[in-house]
């Protein structure tokens, strides 16, 4: 098919003066649904220069849309709007329990105030992110607090993402009805049908979790090592089971350097997810979940072009032929027939 960018919208109707910028296998612009750009080290403040470089790295990988479920600070006004930036949605700073999460990052309101803080954030940007659990032995957020946060966020038209990597935290997140479960390590597979029914998405961040498992292998035995090894060791099977159960699975990298969405897609495929579904988690499925249609009439003019079908060779994901965001070619040479 031929697609024309009429401003920031796709159309199949010819546009006068249109210039051919790419030919090949088209996908809706890729999505990294879990990324935290803008800070080079844990706990450091948001740096606009680092943020720009991180966003350029996403563009170079074919990512036309990011979701940042947690940032090191409130981003500048140009975030997600400039020609050198993917589209972006974000949840502002993380919201955690007192005494938990990375020092220097996030907000830690009293439990009674947490739902209102989450709602205020979601009213500003559309999303809030809550850290439900943290280290081994830490208290899990009470389900009543999280359920009230979900209700307050939904009341202002927003959505709530929840970080969890422990069995009890995952259970609380699902019982509270969060919109997306981030990581979900140690999630009871028996909760997957409920997630599918209520529309709770899973962002498994497989590649970073497996990298953590590799780093932990040389550490001495400890409760933390046993917890992580058990959860990470079962994470592939959990992710494949989530897809099989009909849960919306989103691709997210959660790591530096940025621009590694292809690694997460291949990690999904390595977990037993079909190449078609793995790419969908980083393209049309993720875009639909975040409210953007794909390559259809009137949709936002985002696309990534490859030499051939990446489902047949996931290595093609490393070399986009062209990337188009907001109707403009931001990467790739011009090709003419």
């Amino acid at each position: 098919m031929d697609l024309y960018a009429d401003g920031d919208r796709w159309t199949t109707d010819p546009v006068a003066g249109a210039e051919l910028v790419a030919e090949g296998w088209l996908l809706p612009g890729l999505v990294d649904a879990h990324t935290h750009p803008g800070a080079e080290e844990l706990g450091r403040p948001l740096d606009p220069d680092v943020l720009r470089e991180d966003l350029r790295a996403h563009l170079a990988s074919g990512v036309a849309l990011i979701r940042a479920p947690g940032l090191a600070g409130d981003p500048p006004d140009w975030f997600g709007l400039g020609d050198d930036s993917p589209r972006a949605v974000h949840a502002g700073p993380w919201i955690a329990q007192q005494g938990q999460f990375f020092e220097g990052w996030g907000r830690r309101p009293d439990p009674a105030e947490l739902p209102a803080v989450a709602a205020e954030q979601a009213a500003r940007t559309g999303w809030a992110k809550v850290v439900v659990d943290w280290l081994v032995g830490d208290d899990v957020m009470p389900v009543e607090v999280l359920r009230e946060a979900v209700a307050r966020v939904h009341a202002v038209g927003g959505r709530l993402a929840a970080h969890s990597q422990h069995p009890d935290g995952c259970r609380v997140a699902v019982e509270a009805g969060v919109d997306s479960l981030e990581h979900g390590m140690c999630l009871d597979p028996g909760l997957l049908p409920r997630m599918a029914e209520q529309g709770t998405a899973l962002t498994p961040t497989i590649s970073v979790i497996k990298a953590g498992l590799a780093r932990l292998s040389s550490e001495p035995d400890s409760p933390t090592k046993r917890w992580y090894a058990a959860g990470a060791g079962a994470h592939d099977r959990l992710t494949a089971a989530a897809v099989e159960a009909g849960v919306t699975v989103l691709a997210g990298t959660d790591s530096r350097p940025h621009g590694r969405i292809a690694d997460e897609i291949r990690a999904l495929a390595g977990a037993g997810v079909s190449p078609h579904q793995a790419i969908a988690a980083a393209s049309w499925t993720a875009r639909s979940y975040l409210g953007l249609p794909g390559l259809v009439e009137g949709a936002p003019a985002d696309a990534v072009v490859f030499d051939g079908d990446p489902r047949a060779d996931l290595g093609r994901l490393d070399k986009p032929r062209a990337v188009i965001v907001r109707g403009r070619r931001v990467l790739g040479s011009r090709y003419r027939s």
Side-chain angles (χ1 to χ4, degrees):
M1 65 185 299
D2 293 332
L3 278 178
Y4 296 84
D6 186 5
D8 185 21
R9 297 290 158 178
W10 289 126
T11 179
T12 54
D13 296 328
V15 173
E19 180 183 9
L20 179 62
V21 297
E23 292 179 292
W25 192 276
L26 271 69
L27 293 181
L30 298 182
V31 181
D32 190 330
H34 189 123
T35 180
H36 308 293
E40 289 184 314
E41 298 177 6
L42 296 176
R44 295 287 296 275
L46 192 74
D47 184 326
D49 292 333
V50 173
L51 183 60
R52 282 193 183 277
E53 290 304 311
D54 291 343
L55 295 176
R56 289 178 183 134
H58 278 299
L59 280 181
S61 71
V63 168
L65 171 65
I66 66 167
R67 181 185 61 151
L71 287 168
D74 288 314
D77 292 341
W78 52 260
F79 181 60
L81 299 174
D83 289 341
D84 58 351
S85 169
R87 301 178 196 269
V89 295
H90 72 91
W94 296 265
I95 302 170
Q97 299 187 91
Q98 295 182 20
Q100 298 184 15
F101 200 52
F102 296 114
E103 185 177 353
W105 278 358
R107 290 177 287 179
R108 295 164 181 78
D110 291 333
E113 299 171 351
L114 190 147
V117 171
E120 182 274 332
Q121 174 61 54
R124 289 194 298 121
T125 66
W127 280 89
K129 167 73 172 294
V130 171
V131 180
V132 176
D133 53 37
W134 196 234
L135 302 179
V136 172
D138 282 352
D139 291 335
V140 172
M141 184 173 293
V143 66
E144 296 81 7
V145 173
L146 189 58
R147 186 178 287 122
E148 178 64 16
V150 170
R152 297 281 292 270
V153 165
H154 287 178
V156 298
R159 299 166 95 175
L160 190 140
H163 164 107
S164 179
Q165 291 185 286
H166 297 271
D168 288 345
C170 289
R171 175 185 53 77
V172 164
V174 175
E175 288 185 1
V178 301
D179 294 286
S180 70
L181 176 59
E182 307 302 305
H183 314 299
M185 197 175 79
C186 300
L187 170 69
D188 178 358
L191 293 171
L192 294 173
R194 180 169 177 178
M195 290 176 64
E197 180 181 0
Q198 68 191 24
T200 297
L202 173 67
T203 316
T205 62
I206 290 181
S207 53
V208 72
I209 284 177
K210 295 185 78 169
L213 181 60
R215 290 193 299 270
L216 198 66
S217 62
S218 61
E219 296 292 323
D221 183 54
S222 68
T224 295
K225 181 175 181 177
R226 291 193 293 271
W227 151 70
Y228 198 93
H235 207 51
D236 279 358
R237 296 190 299 275
L238 172 68
T239 301
V243 172
E244 183 68 22
V247 175
T248 296
V249 172
L250 308 173
T253 56
D254 189 34
S255 67
R256 303 190 67 87
H258 292 273
R260 299 174 58 192
I261 193 63
D263 291 342
E264 183 65 14
I265 295 171
R266 286 189 286 264
L268 287 165
V273 178
S274 74
H276 181 89
Q277 291 168 314
I279 295 173
S283 183
W284 55 91
T285 294
R287 291 180 72 86
S288 176
Y289 177 81
L290 294 172
L292 296 181
L295 300 176
V296 296
E297 189 81 23
D302 301 339
V304 59
V305 187
F306 299 98
D307 286 331
D309 185 352
R311 296 174 300 180
D313 179 4
L314 293 176
R316 289 189 173 117
L317 294 167
D318 293 323
K319 298 179 180 179
R321 194 173 191 182
V323 180
I324 296 99
V325 181
R326 302 182 189 88
R328 298 170 60 91
R329 179 179 53 83
V330 297
L331 177 73
S333 302
R334 291 182 173 85
Y335 296 85
R336 297 186 181 279
S337 57

